Amino acid sequence: MTETTIPILPCPDLRPVLDFYTALGFEVTHHQTSPNPYAVVRYGGIELHFFGVKQHDPATSYSTCYVRTDDVDGLHEVFRRGLKEAYGKVPTRGLPRFGAVRDTSHGVRQFLMTDPGGNCVRIGTVTSEDQSHRPAPKETFARALHYASLFADSKADAIGAARVIDRALGTEGERPTSVQLLRLLVLRADVAGRLGDEAAREKALAGAAAVELTAEERESVRDDLARLGELRG
């Protein structure tokens, strides 16, 4: 027996959603307007279906699905280039938005993208046989990064992530390493953008850009530096 699972995701209007996936490089293989709005997009082995429902609110949507790939970095780069060409820049806040590639605490390297319908598509590559979440580190800033990343991506709780980072950076008598500071500030700018907090976003971006790193440190945070470039772009 061979089975295939296909997510069917809601949106108030099909057109912006189809434009988004077309920009990524997907092909629209089906599009109907009646009797019910419905469409299908496909990219390689990824197939997504969408249905239109006027009452759907993208801003409060919890719709999501997961795509497993053996080349998450390759897909991220293809999609990033397509979005930059279509939108003039990589959309990092509001809807649609495109996330950074990150190594998670549960043995997956992944990125998240949210379409105009508010549907979050998570795309990842398994990097470890152990899929359980690793224990949170004891050290203040490593622990903050651990929980802020979980809030931001696993729970889609930007407010929670911002609180964790702000609390850690306000800790008296402790200072993060340059690498920790860069990573915390980039994530803080990212979640501030999702929240529409421009003042916090600009402050975090300026702080991240001012962090001095050695060549070895820059290599260790290349994902974060790439995200910083997208956020500033």
Side-chain angles (χ1 to χ4, degrees):
M1 296 173 66
T2 300
E3 292 79 27
T4 300
T5 300
I6 299 173
I8 304 177
L9 305 170
C11 58
D13 184 359
L14 288 175
R15 188 69 267 164
V17 170
L18 296 181
D19 289 344
F20 173 76
Y21 285 97
T22 299
L24 293 172
F26 281 73
E27 177 188 3
V28 178
T29 60
H30 179 74
H31 184 192
Q32 72 179 35
T33 56
S34 63
N36 300 302
Y38 198 92
V40 178
V41 299
R42 182 180 291 119
Y43 183 98
I46 307 172
E47 183 172 316
L48 304 173
H49 292 209
F50 300 92
F51 66 98
V53 52
K54 291 182 179 180
Q55 298 88 341
H56 178 71
D57 181 4
T60 60
S61 175
Y62 289 97
S63 299
T64 188
C65 68
Y66 205 97
V67 174
R68 284 283 173 86
T69 176
D70 59 4
D71 186 12
V72 65
D73 289 277
L75 271 184
H76 187 269
E77 179 58 22
V78 168
F79 291 170
R80 187 193 68 81
R81 286 200 308 264
L83 290 174
K84 190 169 185 179
E85 181 176 346
Y87 291 89
K89 63 179 181 179
V90 178
T92 60
R93 47 187 164 156
L95 294 175
R97 64 177 176 267
F98 189 72
V101 179
R102 292 194 177 98
D103 293 306
T104 72
S105 64
H106 56 279
V108 175
R109 182 168 171 79
Q110 68 176 18
F111 67 93
L112 281 60
M113 59 185 191
T114 306
D115 66 31
N119 303 297
C120 178
V121 180
R122 302 164 183 263
I123 301 177
T125 296
V126 174
T127 57
S128 171
E129 293 183 1
D130 182 1
Q131 296 290 283
S132 60
H133 280 282
R134 311 303 188 263
K138 300 289 187 183
E139 193 274 329
T140 299
F141 301 103
R143 187 178 183 85
L145 279 166
H146 174 89
Y147 280 116
S149 295
L150 289 178
F151 276 116
D153 294 336
S154 295
K155 295 186 68 176
D157 182 356
I159 293 176
R163 286 174 178 165
V164 169
I165 295 170
D166 290 345
R167 188 182 304 119
L169 292 179
T171 303
E172 294 184 5
E174 294 185 70
R175 291 180 60 84
T177 66
S178 295
V179 164
Q180 289 173 330
L181 180 59
L182 183 283
R183 295 188 65 200
L184 285 166
L185 288 173
V186 170
L187 184 54
R188 184 64 178 90
D190 201 335
V191 296
R194 301 184 206 177
L195 294 170
D197 187 343
E198 287 302 306
R201 181 177 182 274
E202 292 303 319
K203 180 180 178 180
L205 286 176
V211 175
E212 296 184 359
L213 300 169
T214 66
E216 184 177 355
E217 288 172 335
R218 291 183 68 84
E219 177 61 23
S220 72
V221 292
R222 62 184 184 277
D223 291 340
D224 303 273
L225 290 172
R227 186 59 171 172
L228 177 59
E230 291 175 353
L231 294 172
R232 297 178 70 190

